[in-house]
Amino acid sequence: MSKTPKKSGKNPGMFHDKSSFQQYEESTLDAWDDGDDDLLVRLKLDEDYIKSTATNIIDHHSMSTAKNGSADVSTGKAASVAEKQGTGEPSPSVRRHQSNGVPSIKRSMSAAQSSRELAKQKKFEALILAPSKNGLEDLRTMSWPGIPASCRPITWKILSGYLPVAPDRRESILERKRKEYFGFLDQYFGTRHEDQYQHIFRQIHIDVPRMNPLIPLFQTKLVQEIFERILYIWAIRHPASGYVQGINDLVTPFFVVFLTEFLDADVECGEVDITALSKEELDMIEADSYWCMSKLLDGIQDNYTFAQPGIQMKVSALKELTQRIDSHLHTHIENQGIEFLQFSFRWMNNLLMRELPLRCTIRLWDTYLAEPEGFADYHLYVCAAFLTKFSKQLKNEHDFQGLMTMLQNLPTKNWGDEDIGELTAEAYRLKYTFSGAPQHLKNS
């Protein structure tokens, strides 16, 4: 029922004039413009386990680099078959079935999958279907290094706080929350053309077609209408921020992951024939995407209120952290007349979605959802690790134009799960070193 998807993904960035930040801002306009149940409580991750995982990834990368020579970060590394588990080339599988709207877990495996991956998937299945006493904490710990694709939809719903750990409550909650969302549509969506709201819907209507322009799925009218409804209802129900350009990107990972519950295709979806899905299936995806996006935004809403104070503070923190961990890079950026706000605003506003291929964003969000305050706090350390990863190349750019172009086009097109694993491991090391110790963010 679905087509084989094609990989794509660029994050172009441009600027024009060293002397005018306003001209630069205008040329990157798309980057700047571009009461639920408290079912779960945040539980502390097993820090020893996560620290061990991060250390092992860093050590493995160091040994690989020493053995094989420096990694070609100018072009990135193509994702291997193992890295693409669930996010690479599609494998023969059966369509997943749902019972009363509650997804079952697809158990078929590609021949290329290792016994280790199979064992990991079985551990997830066991924990999802029969949670332990510390089920949520255990699920977060297992999810931190990446979630098997077949288990990702329901795991994301649990980690987002949309579904409970207890399986016997999931069906009734899904039914109630989906009904509640479509009640909001009946109540509010008809107001989109009224004078006081039409500017909100007009901006959403402009922005939605600009998302993921190289992926045909997102250029279909049916998908764009789903996104318009989700974004409009969220804006109307959150008047403190309303709709801010950038929020539209945050629906995409949820939509794609929840779409895979009904498809046999690649997680990037590519050229999926969305019309092959029933209205009931599309309604489920739409409602679930709305609620999970809402849960995410509850934790970072100050990024999108007036003057976006959350982003301003995070950009300032990134500058200070960079000065501490790579003072030469910090000085080099400043010497070229570049403000951190000029390139990292987009990183904070869009959660690096414009800088990474969609498959990498999805893997990164596995860790964000597993990490307490992942989108609000941990993202800062990921941005610092991301920036300093390209330190050598950035310091080779000796003028404003070349450096700004590099900062807006960091070479991640061919990144895969291993690259994201290294990034999150380094971010964890930075968090472990600097979190809770703001004095460390300043030069002594």
Side-chain angles (χ1 to χ4, degrees):
M1 65 165 280
S2 60
K3 305 294 184 182
T4 302
K6 296 180 179 178
K7 296 185 185 298
S8 60
K10 287 187 177 180
N11 301 299
M14 295 293 292
F15 75 97
H16 293 296
D17 185 38
K18 176 177 179 178
S19 63
S20 174
F21 177 65
Q22 288 184 336
Q23 290 182 11
Y24 167 76
E25 179 182 351
E26 290 172 0
S27 70
T28 55
L29 191 61
D30 67 323
W32 294 78
D33 305 340
D34 249 23
D36 309 331
D37 297 299
D38 294 323
L39 298 171
L40 305 174
V41 295
R42 289 201 174 275
L43 297 175
K44 191 173 184 292
L45 283 170
D46 183 340
E47 290 194 1
D48 290 339
Y49 175 85
I50 299 300
K51 191 194 304 183
S52 173
T53 299
T55 301
N56 289 339
I57 292 172
I58 293 171
D59 289 346
H60 172 74
H61 175 60
S62 298
M63 289 186 292
S64 298
T65 301
K67 181 178 179 180
N68 300 321
S70 299
D72 181 10
V73 294
S74 65
T75 59
K77 296 186 291 293
S80 67
V81 172
E83 292 161 9
K84 291 181 178 179
Q85 182 236 337
T87 59
E89 297 302 322
S91 59
S93 61
V94 296
R95 177 186 170 119
R96 259 161 282 192
H97 297 286
Q98 296 219 351
S99 174
N100 298 320
V102 180
S104 60
I105 299 171
K106 186 174 70 172
R107 299 178 179 274
S108 58
M109 305 285 288
S110 72
Q113 281 186 303
S114 68
S115 58
R116 182 178 179 181
E117 291 163 345
L118 177 59
K120 182 177 180 179
Q121 177 171 316
K122 287 183 176 179
K123 286 182 180 179
F124 268 89
E125 292 174 0
L127 193 56
I128 290 168
L129 298 174
S132 63
K133 182 179 180 180
N134 299 318
L136 181 57
E137 183 176 2
D138 291 343
L139 188 61
R140 283 181 173 150
T141 300
M142 283 207 306
S143 299
W144 199 95
I147 302 169
S150 61
C151 304
R152 184 173 278 131
I154 191 168
T155 302
W156 276 26
K157 291 172 188 176
I158 295 170
L159 294 179
S160 293
Y162 176 44
L163 288 184
V165 176
D168 58 345
R169 299 179 59 199
R170 293 173 192 158
E171 183 177 336
S172 62
I173 288 171
L174 279 174
E175 182 179 353
R176 177 167 57 84
K177 299 302 284 185
R178 289 165 176 169
K179 182 178 180 181
E180 186 176 353
Y181 168 72
F182 283 99
F184 293 153
L185 278 181
D186 292 340
Q187 182 177 358
Y188 298 119
F189 196 62
T191 67
R192 65 193 183 280
H193 298 305
E194 294 180 5
D195 289 344
Q196 67 265 44
Y197 300 124
Q198 63 180 355
H199 68 285
I200 298 174
F201 186 74
R202 182 186 304 115
Q203 190 61 60
I204 292 171
H205 187 69
I206 291 171
D207 289 346
V208 166
R210 296 159 68 183
M211 300 186 309
N212 302 293
L214 300 179
I215 302 179
L217 173 68
F218 295 101
Q219 301 310 306
T220 62
K221 183 179 180 181
L222 183 58
V223 170
Q224 291 179 1
E225 288 175 346
I226 289 173
F227 276 59
E228 288 175 353
R229 291 193 292 268
I230 290 172
L231 293 166
Y232 183 76
I233 296 303
W234 190 88
I236 293 299
R237 295 191 68 241
H238 296 81
S241 60
Y243 173 72
V244 176
Q245 292 164 306
I247 292 177
N248 51 311
D249 282 340
L250 306 186
V251 184
T252 304
F254 291 117
F255 180 83
V256 169
V257 168
F258 299 155
L259 179 61
T260 65
E261 291 183 283
F262 303 95
L263 303 175
D264 304 324
D266 188 309
V267 76
E268 284 192 89
C269 296
E271 296 178 344
V272 165
D273 181 10
I274 194 73
T275 62
L277 273 70
S278 68
K279 183 181 185 303
E280 181 184 9
E281 291 169 333
L282 290 171
D283 285 350
M284 291 177 186
I285 295 167
E286 180 175 343
D288 295 348
S289 298
Y290 169 82
W291 285 116
C292 288
M293 183 200 73
S294 296
K295 292 288 188 180
L296 185 164
L297 287 170
D298 284 347
I300 58 171
Q301 194 166 351
D302 63 345
N303 283 8
Y304 304 104
T305 53
F306 178 74
Q308 299 182 264
I311 289 179
Q312 300 283 346
M313 288 187 291
K314 289 181 177 69
V315 169
S316 178
L318 177 62
K319 179 179 179 180
E320 293 177 350
L321 184 57
T322 304
Q323 185 175 18
R324 179 62 177 168
I325 63 179
D326 192 339
S327 60
H328 293 296
L329 177 60
H330 175 273
T331 300
H332 179 68
I333 291 172
E334 287 204 328
N335 286 345
Q336 304 311 315
I338 294 176
E339 295 289 338
F340 270 66
L341 187 68
Q342 290 173 269
F343 65 89
S344 64
F345 181 95
R346 186 170 80 180
W347 297 10
M348 305 302 177
N349 193 54
N350 303 83
L351 297 177
L352 288 176
M353 286 190 61
R354 300 290 181 94
E355 324 310 318
L356 298 170
L358 181 55
R359 64 181 178 274
C360 293
T361 295
I362 289 171
R363 165 58 192 90
L364 180 60
W365 281 29
D366 289 346
T367 300
Y368 281 174
L369 287 164
E371 181 78 21
E373 305 299 332
F375 294 98
D377 297 332
Y378 189 67
H379 179 66
L380 166 65
Y381 299 98
V382 171
C383 287
F386 185 66
L387 177 61
T388 56
K389 181 179 180 67
F390 300 99
S391 179
K392 182 178 179 180
Q393 291 85 340
L394 291 168
K395 285 184 284 191
N396 285 335
E397 298 293 340
H398 297 290
D399 59 75
F400 180 96
Q401 180 169 350
L403 183 55
M404 183 61 78
T405 300
M406 179 74 174
L407 284 164
Q408 292 289 349
N409 293 276
L410 291 170
T412 62
K413 180 180 179 181
N414 296 317
W415 273 27
D417 285 3
E418 183 177 333
D419 300 278
I420 298 300
E422 292 165 8
L423 185 69
T424 55
E426 175 62 13
Y428 186 83
R429 187 186 69 81
L430 294 174
K431 179 190 174 187
Y432 186 82
T433 303
F434 295 106
S435 181
Q439 307 297 344
H440 293 176
L441 296 180
K442 301 184 183 297
N443 282 330
S444 53

